[in-house]
Each structure stands twice: as structure tokens, then as C-alpha cells.
Amino acid sequence: MIPIDETPLTRDGKVLILAYDHGLEHGPADFTGLPESADPARTFEAATHPAVTSIAVQKGVAEAYYPSYEDDTDLLLKLNGTSNLWMGEPDSSVNCSVEYAHEIGASSVGFTLYGGSNHEVEMTEEFREIQEDARAHDMPVVMWSYPRGQGLKNDTKSDVIAYASRLALELGADVAKVKYPGSKAGMEHAVQMAGKTKVVMSGGSKTSDREFLESVKAVIDAGGKGLAVGRNVWQRENPTQILDALEKVIFEETTVDAALEA
Ligand code: FBP
């Protein structure tokens, strides 16, 4: 574990990662409701909002767009990913090294681990290499900790999410990005199991402003350190508006009503 409160991934100990790796993970379907969201420059623009601590993208998008935004955004390079065309047991191929991420300007790295998958053993070994390489560069490591696989149908049960956050601590991640377990109590359990590893919520598919902000508020009240969110920001017509509200709930710890009124 490294002191990540001194890195750009955090602001006042909190985290707001803007995730934009969906073009790989979900494909063009995620952009159909708002065609302009297919343009990575639009999400990089959104990531210049002061509430956003880092933008998480895959290597190709980083190479093509980050140079235009390097003065105004912080880069988290996602090191593995799978397309939605893959129909096998959950797995994610490593498509970028820590060295290369560092070379192109990333200050932190991200890795998906599918605990419970038949590929868990190989994925954990890949994570070992990445985590140790990241330590050599003083780069924080964020684990997308998503238990899923043949024997695991419901990946958001409280016990499963607590196990996901614990895996992140045990394997050496600085931040565990987990799905919302559906309640504040569930998130408290996940936070407790993660020890010194910071727990952040994964955004999920787009919902109403209120529903989304209430889940974020529950995470903060449960001791979670923030959010790694994609669709709930860049699938909105006005990403700035929801980022203003997120800034209030996460960093100023206001109520949802106060955030919505502002
Ligand atoms: P969202 O906030 O849009 O859910 O994004 C978070 C994220 O982890 C992305 O980084 C990733 O592309 C996606 O969710 C994976 O979602 P899933 O594998 O659950 O379909």
C-alpha cells in the first residue's frame, strides 16, 4: 500500500474516477442514446471538472486524446479489458504494461479481477505482476473487483461485494472499485472488509439524478471514499451538472437535496 492521499488520484482523501472504457467493454451500444458521447474528447472535457480526480481509459484512447488534455486531467490507465463480443467465462486480457502506462503519462493504473471466474488464478497472477510493477513506479493501483463466473450468479449480494473489497486488500490494491451492494449497510460491510484499501462505488447503468446521488450518498455515509463512474456522467446531456452535484455529495458531504438544489 502506498500513501495515495498524496497522489492526483485523490482530493482530500476522496476519489472520483471518470471511467470511459465502455467502447471496449460494452461496445458502441453504450453510445447510441447520445451519439456525441462516442467522441472521447467530450469525456476528456468533462474530466477537466475539478470534481474529477482521474479519467480511466484504455491505452488507445489515452494515446490519441490524453496529449491534448494532459495539463487539465489526470490519467488512470486501465491495463486489461474484454469486449462484449467475448462469450466465454469472465476473463480480461492485459493489453498494456505498467511501464508503457507510465511512459504515456498515467499516474495510476487499473485492473479488472473477476474473482470466482474459472480464470481467477491466471488473472490473480497477472495482477501480481502489475501491482509490483506499479509499486516500482509509485503508481496507485485500482482494482475493478467484480466477482462473477460460472458458479456466481448474483454479483451484488452484500457478502459477495464484501469479498470483492477484501480481495483488493489481500492482493495489494490501493482502491477497490465495487458494485453497489444495494444498501448503506452492505457498503459498510465492504468498507470494513477492505481495511486500509479505499472502497469506491462503480456507477452502473444510467438512473435518475436522485436515485444515483442517493446511492453515492449512502456510499459516503458508509465510509466509502467516492466513485468510479461512467455512464451516469457521460450518458447525460450535461455531464457538468451531475459533476457539480457529485462534488457536493462526495467532497462537501452535503445532502442529496442540497446537491440537487445547487
Ligand atoms: P459505469 O459507471 O458506467 O458502470 O462504469 C464502470 C465500469 O466499471 C466501467 O469501467 C466498465 O466499462 C463497466 O463498468 C463494466 O461494466 P460491466 O462489466 O458490469 O458491464
Side-chain angles (χ1 to χ4, degrees):
M1 177 149 294
I2 60 172
I4 69 166
D5 285 352
E6 287 149 34
T7 70
L9 182 61
T10 65
R11 165 180 154 191
D12 302 332
K14 306 270 186 54
V15 176
L16 204 179
I17 296 164
L18 184 52
Y20 188 71
D21 56 340
H22 304 64
L24 174 64
E25 294 285 340
H26 297 164
D30 271 12
F31 307 133
T32 48
L34 193 63
E36 59 264 42
S37 66
D39 180 2
R42 182 175 178 272
T43 300
F44 269 94
E45 280 298 333
T48 64
H49 191 290
V52 176
T53 56
S54 303
I55 180 167
V57 291
Q58 292 282 343
K59 173 168 76 175
V61 171
E63 280 184 336
Y65 294 87
Y66 181 61
S68 306
Y69 292 91
E70 62 187 359
D71 293 336
D72 304 310
T73 61
D74 175 68
L75 180 64
L76 185 165
L77 213 299
K78 186 77 200 311
L79 301 179
N80 64 350
T82 336
S83 87
N84 213 12
L85 303 169
W86 168 250
M87 290 297 157
E89 178 73 358
D91 201 356
S92 191
S93 50
V94 178
N95 52 45
C96 185
S97 65
V98 171
E99 283 67 28
Y100 192 67
H102 186 258
E103 199 179 311
I104 63 176
S107 73
S108 58
V109 292
F111 184 93
T112 296
L113 184 84
Y114 294 127
S117 159
N118 287 349
H119 299 294
E120 178 186 318
V121 171
E122 294 82 356
M123 294 187 86
T124 304
E125 288 169 358
E126 289 162 0
F127 182 75
R128 191 249 320 145
E129 192 173 337
I130 274 158
Q131 194 265 0
E132 291 176 8
D133 286 351
R135 290 292 175 258
H137 290 285
D138 283 331
M139 294 168 91
V141 180
V142 179
M143 181 187 285
W144 274 231
S145 191
Y146 292 169
R148 60 180 67 161
Q150 243 173 34
L152 206 57
K153 302 282 182 234
N154 181 358
D155 61 10
T156 59
K157 273 198 314 215
S158 172
D159 285 353
V160 173
I161 300 303
Y163 208 155
S165 69
R166 186 69 188 200
L167 284 181
L169 169 68
E170 299 284 343
L171 297 175
D174 303 293
V175 177
K177 168 169 163 30
V178 298
K179 304 272 178 187
Y180 183 56
S183 67
K184 183 182 157 209
M187 200 38 112
E188 274 166 357
H189 188 30
V191 168
Q192 191 193 7
M193 289 305 116
K196 288 187 176 178
T197 293
K198 288 182 196 284
V199 179
V200 301
M201 179 182 89
S202 188
S205 52
K206 191 178 146 210
T207 55
S208 71
D209 289 2
R210 178 169 292 280
E211 193 182 336
F212 172 53
L213 291 173
E214 272 170 1
S215 63
V216 177
K217 176 75 179 144
V219 169
I220 299 298
D221 289 348
K225 296 300 175 197
L227 195 61
V229 57
R231 291 163 290 177
N232 265 298
V233 171
W234 53 256
Q235 280 185 347
R236 280 176 158 75
E237 299 274 351
N238 187 344
T240 304
Q241 217 166 36
I242 195 73
L243 286 169
D244 286 345
L246 285 173
E247 184 164 35
K248 296 221 162 296
V249 173
I250 296 174
F251 298 101
E252 297 170 25
E253 301 199 5
T254 69
T255 62
V256 170
D257 283 335
L260 284 169
E261 274 161 31

